Amino acid sequence: MLAVHLLSFYFSKLQEDQIKKVDRFLYSMRLNDDQLQDISARFRAEMERGLSAESNETATVKMLPTHVCSTPDGSEKGEFLALDLGGSRFKVLQVKVSEDGKRKVEMESHTYPIPAEVINGRGTDLFRHVAESLKDFMQRNHINHRKNPLGFTFSFPCRQSKLDEGVLLSWSKNYKARGVQGMDVVESLRQAIDTVGGMDVDVLALVNDTVGTMMTCGYDDQHCEVGVIVGTGTNACYMEELRHIDLVEGDEGRMCINTEWGAFGDDGALDDFITDFDREIDAASSNPGKQLFEKMISGLYMGELVRIILLKMTKEGLLFEGRASDALRTKGKFQTKHIALIEKYKEGLRNTREILVELGLSPSEDDCIAVQHICTIISFRSANLCAAALAAILTRIRQNRKFKSLRTTVGMDGTVYRTHPQYPKRLHKVVRRLVPECHVRFVLSESGSGKGAAMVTAVAQRLVAQRQEIRETLATFTLSLEQLQGLRDKMRVELERGLRKETHSTASVKMLPTYVYSIPNGTESGKFLALDLGGTNFRVLVVKIRSGLRRSVRMYNKIYAIPMEIMQGTGEELFDHIVQCISDFLDYMGMKNTCLPLGFTFSFPCRQTGIDKGTLVCWTKGFKATDCEGNDVVDMLREAIKRRNEFDLDIVAVVNDTVGTMMTCAYEDPKCEIGLIAGTGSNVCYMEEMRNIEIVEGDEGQMCVNTEWGGFGENDCMEDIRTKFDREVDEGSLNVGKQKFEKMTSGMYLGEIVRQILINLTRRGLLFRGHITESLKTRGIFETKFLSQIESDRLALLQVRSILQHLGLDSTCDDSIIVKEVCGTVSRRAAQLCGAGMAAIVDKIRENRGLNHLDITVGVDGTLYKLHPHFSRILKETVRLLAPRCDVTFVLSEDGSGKGAALITAVARRFCAET
């Protein structure tokens, strides 16, 4: 028993001694975590250089755009051909993707050898060989009776300017075919197919094998956005944000980047990690000084690296008693497949002896232990270096998206990763240690990169088809110049009809007189109370106006909520609530016993017979309080004040918010004679000649007319441009058939139009993987403020996805792009419609005054105009286009319509005094 223990101890000691001997000899090849983090940081810096237009030319890591902008979403279908060229053999595949939603992929494939004389001969011969092999495959499988879409996996560095075009930068993996470098390989393949003849093939996509791997795994796992190959060569790709890719136009969405990481270190960035053994490998290679990172990792070089180390250690008497065989001295005799066999868990030492004997060596037990440990160090270094670079990619993806932690999948392929018994486990472990904030799932590509080429082709076809369907859907919102001119002219007709006595009652644009005869002239002064009711909030203000050289307006206000049950309750409840708010404000200001002149901004259509008399025509903006329509709102307010019996007010004027906006801006700019609201609602007022207002007596001077243009189209004059989505929004509103123009232009409805479009696209499988969530079914969930946020130029798609996820919509990057386009289409049309209406008004004012050219200012308020990133620009462009003889300046009202109510009250007081 003692003898057994002594023998075991002797063997363990022998093994330990051999391992220490190898460790000392290969000390520079053992990398700790600090060194790996250093390498990872260097690789991140190289990625930045490759992505930048300024440094790409000199960058070693080329970061090549692939023009693959989407990963599979599971809806792909059809039959595709694929070619896979990248090693000593060439594969042709037919890939059938199921149409029944079961995500089933069937493949037929055949592998064709590529003779060495073809690999090293003329490029035309290489592509002819590929085309002949393709023709043979198609004849074997009887698939030449229709046009076949084809994806081409070409596993060499190419610079792509589009998906079906790629210029070869350099050969690798011992390929040396002449006349191909610098040429478009897709065009070379097409020419070869035409030369061979007898095939009806459409080459749609050129794909790197790494991209193919990512797409293959991405079909089964939609979180897969990284592909890594560790085989004959090594490379990685990943989905990068387009805004970071200087070499490609556009900044919306993502694009797969082929890193070509094999060239990392070609500029000396890894010199302190490159050993003498690596330099010997490089010097004897077909491309000295190139692909240095690949030469430290990939299967083409690992076996040769072990052979060189074995030979050196033998020459120094550390192995095989200093006796080397001819085979050990011969390049290529020790292969990477031998490393995989030597490192097998149980049979490793037996395999080691057999392989060494085949090489003509006479290994002892300690020689076998040493050789096995050498192989472990070389393969472990390969996994470590691969892990360091992969950690850099994962960190970049996480930082791009501003995530604290990232959950993603990496698609893996390559003979080293597939066949080496320890390699995957080592790679996974080191990656997770280097980037603990990234939760990574590794998936082995079961079908190779050929299937990936077919998937890229399938995705490309799906995107083209989807793009066409989306384009056709959104085309109904695109307004031609002719349509905009027609709309402007129709608006002009309705303006005139609203002003004339005989047509006023049937006009859709009501052109309501406001009895505001003048804009401020700077002499107004005093202290005024103002009320502002127009939405879910109600404001009470005290406004102090000072005239003279130091004229100024100072305001004190408080905001109160209008609950939904009050908005849609009884009129008495609404006005009692308003008076309650006024009472609270007067208490707050200590003014209960002060009777100030009051202006009431009431932002709903009213028919006025005097400046302090306004009969509500109809509610808008979600209000539905009963017993109000047809009644004088000033009288209703006075009665509510009497009911409370706490204070008295001198109600001088009832004012529309649009008029208040005009007056506020006119106080600063005397050219301001138009007011525009582009917010929850949409409306315009302007100073009209009294002689044109037939429903009011008098021909002298001017009066502000509240157009109430939101009702434009109620006589069906806009049906040619209304879409089915507009009709759906109208049918779901509180006032069906009313305010049609407002429902196409205002903040209360634009989000709902977008929601209807999103539902339509989702039902057709063009969005959100065809899944309509409960939140998407909820009316009003998509508020117009989300349009402003989503369309912001400063907002990355990641933030768009965050907004959609907040709404319960689990979106992909492609979904986010589509949603952003939908929002842009709807808001652009709204701005153009407002612009067409404004063009009608400014042209009318110009003609009223008999001017060849009009210079005028528009005072503007409303959240849509203020907050939307593009609305104001498009509005102005449209006015310039449709009213070229008018120079229109838009001035934003900074103080809201409450100040305007006070100014109207002051102007009314001044006007009464003057008359």
Side-chain angles (χ1 to χ4, degrees):
M1 187 69 178
L2 179 62
V4 172
H5 281 295
L6 285 172
L7 185 62
S8 175
F9 173 77
Y10 170 76
F11 187 78
S12 298
K13 186 69 175 171
L14 175 67
Q15 189 172 19
E16 182 184 334
D17 289 345
Q18 295 305 311
I19 288 171
K20 284 183 178 178
K21 177 174 67 176
V22 171
D23 283 345
R24 284 194 298 272
F25 195 80
L26 298 180
Y27 173 79
S28 59
M29 287 196 163
R30 296 177 67 84
L31 302 171
N32 60 42
D33 282 1
D34 287 342
Q35 290 172 308
L36 293 175
Q37 292 286 13
D38 182 14
I39 292 168
S40 188
R42 295 184 199 188
F43 187 72
R44 281 204 304 277
E46 284 300 306
M47 290 171 72
E48 291 279 1
R49 293 186 69 232
L51 289 169
S52 168
E54 293 178 1
S55 52
N56 175 269
E57 193 171 336
T58 57
T60 55
V61 180
K62 285 300 181 185
M63 304 294 283
L64 301 173
T66 65
H67 296 268
V68 172
C69 297
S70 180
T71 52
D73 70 355
S75 66
E76 292 76 18
K77 58 187 178 182
E79 297 184 13
F80 307 92
L81 287 171
L83 309 179
D84 190 355
L85 177 65
S88 57
R89 295 185 300 169
F90 164 68
K91 186 182 283 188
V92 185
L93 308 91
Q94 183 187 29
V95 181
K96 297 179 181 178
V97 185
S98 68
E99 300 183 28
D100 57 6
K102 295 181 180 177
R103 300 170 66 83
K104 184 180 176 184
V105 178
E106 298 176 5
M107 293 194 299
E108 294 284 339
S109 68
H110 189 76
T111 301
Y112 297 85
I114 304 181
E117 60 270 21
V118 173
I119 288 176
N120 297 304
R122 295 186 306 167
T124 50
D125 293 338
L126 172 63
F127 284 101
R128 184 182 181 90
H129 178 77
V130 169
E132 288 171 345
S133 303
L134 173 62
K135 183 175 182 178
D136 176 74
F137 178 83
M138 293 175 73
Q139 289 174 340
R140 283 170 181 250
N141 291 276
H142 310 289
I143 54 175
N144 204 22
H145 57 279
R146 62 182 179 280
K147 196 170 192 69
N148 295 275
L150 182 144
F152 184 18
T153 299
F154 187 74
S155 307
F156 305 94
C158 287
R159 188 174 300 284
Q160 290 186 253
S161 56
K162 48 188 180 180
L163 187 59
D164 62 346
E165 180 182 287
V167 173
L168 177 65
L169 296 179
S170 61
W171 284 118
S172 57
K173 306 172 190 173
N174 287 332
Y175 270 68
K176 286 188 175 180
R178 299 184 301 277
V180 184
Q181 197 165 327
M183 303 298 290
D184 179 2
V185 296
V186 174
E187 187 56 34
S188 298
L189 175 62
R190 284 172 175 155
Q191 289 174 3
I193 289 171
D194 289 343
T195 300
V196 171
M199 291 173 281
D200 191 5
V201 171
D202 189 7
V203 185
L204 295 181
L206 176 70
V207 185
N208 180 276
D209 56 343
T210 323
V211 181
T213 295
M214 181 189 77
M215 296 295 276
T216 297
C217 297
Y219 184 72
D220 298 312
D221 182 340
Q222 290 171 15
H223 293 291
C224 183
E225 46 195 347
V226 183
V228 176
I229 298 279
V230 189
T232 307
T234 184
N235 195 15
C237 69
Y238 73 102
M239 297 301 290
E240 175 61 84
E241 306 297 316
L242 251 177
R243 66 183 185 276
H244 295 151
I245 309 172
D246 287 357
L247 299 178
V248 176
E249 287 187 6
D251 51 15
E252 294 292 349
R254 296 180 190 154
M255 181 180 288
C256 182
I257 288 290
N258 167 22
T259 66
E260 288 297 337
W261 76 8
F264 178 40
D266 287 3
D267 59 352
L270 292 176
D271 280 0
D272 48 336
F273 292 102
I274 292 175
T275 66
D276 289 340
F277 308 115
D278 297 313
R279 292 185 178 92
E280 192 169 335
I281 286 280
D282 179 46
S285 70
S286 60
N287 56 347
K290 304 291 184 185
Q291 299 295 108
L292 296 182
F293 194 59
E294 182 169 80
K295 288 169 184 172
M296 299 165 76
I297 292 177
S298 75
L300 188 62
Y301 303 99
M302 279 170 60
E304 183 62 10
L305 191 56
V306 169
R307 186 191 71 82
I308 288 172
I309 292 167
L310 295 181
L311 187 59
K312 280 190 178 296
M313 290 185 73
T314 303
K315 286 179 179 179
E316 293 186 21
L318 299 173
L319 286 175
F320 314 127
E321 297 179 347
R323 292 193 291 270
S325 65
D326 289 340
L328 190 59
R329 295 189 186 96
T330 304
K331 181 180 177 181
K333 283 294 184 178
F334 194 99
Q335 297 173 21
T336 301
K337 67 180 181 181
H338 295 143
I339 296 176
L341 290 168
I342 286 169
E343 289 196 68
K344 280 199 171 180
Y345 179 60
K346 290 183 178 178
E347 314 102 86
L349 282 175
R350 187 180 74 242
N351 292 341
T352 305
R353 178 174 295 280
E354 289 173 1
I355 289 165
L356 294 175
V357 169
E358 284 177 15
L359 292 172
L361 298 165
S362 301
S364 64
E365 191 67 36
D366 59 336
D367 288 333
C368 291
I369 292 167
V371 170
Q372 189 180 51
H373 193 51
I374 290 166
C375 289
T376 299
I377 289 173
I378 296 305
S379 63
F380 217 128
R381 185 185 73 152
S382 169
N384 278 338
L385 290 171
C386 187
L390 180 54
I393 289 174
L394 295 169
T395 298
R396 179 169 180 85
I397 293 172
R398 182 181 63 80
Q399 291 176 346
N400 277 348
R401 299 176 193 177
K402 297 180 173 59
F403 287 176
K404 288 184 179 179
S405 64
L406 174 72
R407 186 175 299 279
T408 193
T409 299
V410 177
M412 299 293 305
D413 205 354
T415 50
V416 172
Y417 186 88
R418 279 178 177 275
T419 62
H420 192 289
Q422 311 298 331
Y423 199 97
K425 182 170 64 178
R426 291 171 184 166
L427 175 66
H428 304 169
K429 188 175 180 179
V430 177
V431 167
R432 287 168 181 146
R433 206 166 63 234
L434 294 178
V435 281
E437 62 277 17
C438 297
H439 307 287
V440 187
R441 179 174 182 243
F442 291 86
V443 175
L444 180 63
S445 171
E446 296 296 341
S447 310
S449 52
K451 174 185 171 183
M455 293 313 307
V456 170
T457 308
V459 168
Q461 276 206 333
R462 167 177 63 81
L463 291 177
V464 167
Q466 287 181 349
R467 184 72 257 153
Q468 182 60 29
E469 285 194 62
I470 292 166
R471 192 179 295 118
E472 289 171 359
T473 300
L474 298 184
T476 58
F477 287 85
T478 302
L479 301 174
S480 66
L481 176 59
E482 186 179 6
Q483 285 174 312
L484 288 170
Q485 289 169 333
L487 190 88
R488 174 200 62 195
D489 297 342
K490 289 175 183 177
M491 178 67 82
R492 178 64 184 274
V493 168
E494 286 301 298
L495 295 175
E496 300 289 356
R497 292 185 73 243
L499 288 170
R500 288 201 298 271
K501 186 177 290 185
E502 66 270 20
T503 53
H504 176 80
S505 61
T506 58
S508 63
V509 180
K510 287 302 180 188
M511 305 296 282
L512 303 173
T514 66
Y515 294 86
V516 173
Y517 295 99
S518 172
I519 60 173
N521 65 6
T523 64
E524 296 79 16
S525 64
K527 187 185 288 187
F528 304 90
L529 197 63
L531 311 179
D532 187 0
L533 177 66
T536 54
N537 289 329
F538 169 63
R539 277 199 309 160
V540 187
L541 310 89
V542 168
V543 184
K544 296 179 180 178
I545 304 174
R546 184 174 179 175
S547 62
L549 293 174
R550 297 175 61 188
R551 71 177 189 160
S552 63
V553 177
R554 294 171 65 192
M555 295 191 299
Y556 307 89
N557 73 88
K558 202 169 179 183
I559 298 173
Y560 300 88
I562 305 285
M564 183 62 70
E565 61 269 20
I566 298 291
M567 289 171 61
Q568 299 186 4
T570 67
E572 191 169 295
E573 288 170 341
L574 173 62
F575 280 92
D576 283 347
H577 179 77
I578 289 170
V579 172
Q580 165 64 43
C581 297
I582 297 170
S583 175
D584 177 81
F585 179 78
L586 293 175
D587 278 338
Y588 173 74
M589 295 295 294
M591 297 172 61
K592 262 286 176 64
N593 298 319
T594 307
C595 185
L596 295 178
L598 180 144
F600 184 14
T601 299
F602 188 76
S603 306
F604 304 92
C606 283
R607 181 168 283 104
Q608 291 187 249
T609 55
I611 195 147
D612 64 344
K613 300 180 188 302
T615 301
L616 177 62
V617 176
C618 63
W619 283 120
T620 58
K621 307 172 191 174
F623 276 71
K624 270 289 185 181
T626 59
D627 303 321
C628 293
E629 292 178 0
N631 291 314
D632 187 329
V633 295
V634 176
D635 287 344
M636 294 182 77
L637 178 61
R638 284 177 176 145
E639 287 167 9
I641 292 170
K642 284 180 184 176
R643 280 196 298 275
R644 191 165 187 91
N645 196 28
E646 285 184 8
F647 54 84
D648 197 15
L649 296 174
D650 178 16
I651 305 173
V652 174
V654 62
V655 185
N656 183 275
D657 58 343
T658 323
V659 183
T661 295
M662 181 189 76
M663 297 294 276
T664 299
C665 295
Y667 187 71
E668 305 294 339
D669 182 350
K671 288 184 180 178
C672 182
E673 299 182 78
I674 304 174
L676 166 66
I677 296 288
T680 307
S682 178
N683 195 18
V684 164
C685 70
Y686 72 101
M687 297 303 292
E688 177 60 86
E689 306 301 314
M690 282 288 293
R691 66 180 183 273
N692 295 332
I693 311 174
E694 295 183 5
I695 55 175
V696 175
E697 291 185 4
D699 292 334
E700 295 298 323
Q702 297 176 331
M703 180 187 287
C704 180
V705 168
N706 167 22
T707 67
E708 288 296 339
W709 77 359
F712 178 55
E714 288 177 13
N715 59 356
D716 295 338
C717 66
M718 285 197 304
E719 291 309 295
D720 57 323
I721 63 170
R722 288 180 79 225
T723 68
K724 65 178 182 179
F725 306 107
D726 297 309
R727 294 183 178 95
E728 285 168 355
V729 168
D730 180 38
E731 287 164 10
S733 69
L734 292 172
N735 53 349
V736 180
K738 304 293 184 183
Q739 299 295 105
K740 289 184 178 179
F741 190 66
E742 184 169 79
K743 288 170 184 171
M744 297 167 75
T745 57
S746 75
M748 187 166 183
Y749 300 100
L750 297 189
E752 185 61 14
I753 294 172
V754 168
R755 188 183 72 89
Q756 293 292 344
I757 298 171
L758 299 187
I759 288 175
N760 178 273
L761 296 179
T762 306
R763 279 188 182 134
R764 290 153 60 194
L766 303 174
L767 263 183
F768 309 133
R769 302 181 183 90
H771 178 56
I772 299 178
T773 61
E774 286 303 315
S775 60
L776 192 57
K777 295 176 186 175
T778 306
R779 186 176 301 280
I781 189 73
F782 205 100
E783 298 175 43
T784 298
K785 70 178 181 181
F786 296 132
L787 273 73
S788 299
Q789 293 169 7
I790 286 169
E791 290 186 68
S792 171
D793 294 328
R794 298 187 303 275
L795 203 66
L797 281 180
L798 174 66
Q799 293 161 294
V800 175
R801 288 183 73 181
S802 177
I803 291 169
L804 295 175
Q805 284 167 353
H806 176 71
L807 295 173
L809 304 172
D810 184 18
S811 69
T812 64
C813 179
D814 293 330
D815 291 336
S816 300
I817 293 172
I818 293 167
V819 170
K820 190 166 186 176
E821 184 179 0
V822 170
C823 291
T825 300
V826 170
S827 63
R828 179 177 182 79
R829 186 191 66 163
Q832 287 179 319
L833 291 173
C834 284
M838 183 60 70
I841 286 171
V842 295
D843 249 350
K844 174 168 174 51
I845 295 173
R846 182 184 60 78
E847 291 177 17
N848 280 349
R849 300 176 188 180
L851 299 174
N852 187 52
H853 182 85
L854 175 69
D855 188 358
I856 197 166
T857 297
V858 178
V860 195
D861 204 354
T863 51
L864 191 57
Y865 187 93
K866 283 182 176 180
L867 302 180
H868 192 281
H870 307 300
F871 187 93
S872 61
R873 173 183 55 79
I874 297 167
L875 168 64
K876 293 170 188 175
E877 288 172 357
T878 307
V879 173
R880 277 196 299 271
L881 180 68
L882 299 180
R885 294 164 69 181
C886 299
D887 187 0
V888 184
T889 302
F890 289 82
V891 174
L892 191 61
S893 170
E894 296 298 337
D895 302 306
S897 51
K899 174 181 172 182
L903 283 166
I904 289 170
T905 305
V907 168
R909 279 291 174 91
R910 189 200 80 211
F911 193 78
C912 288
E914 290 173 355
T915 56

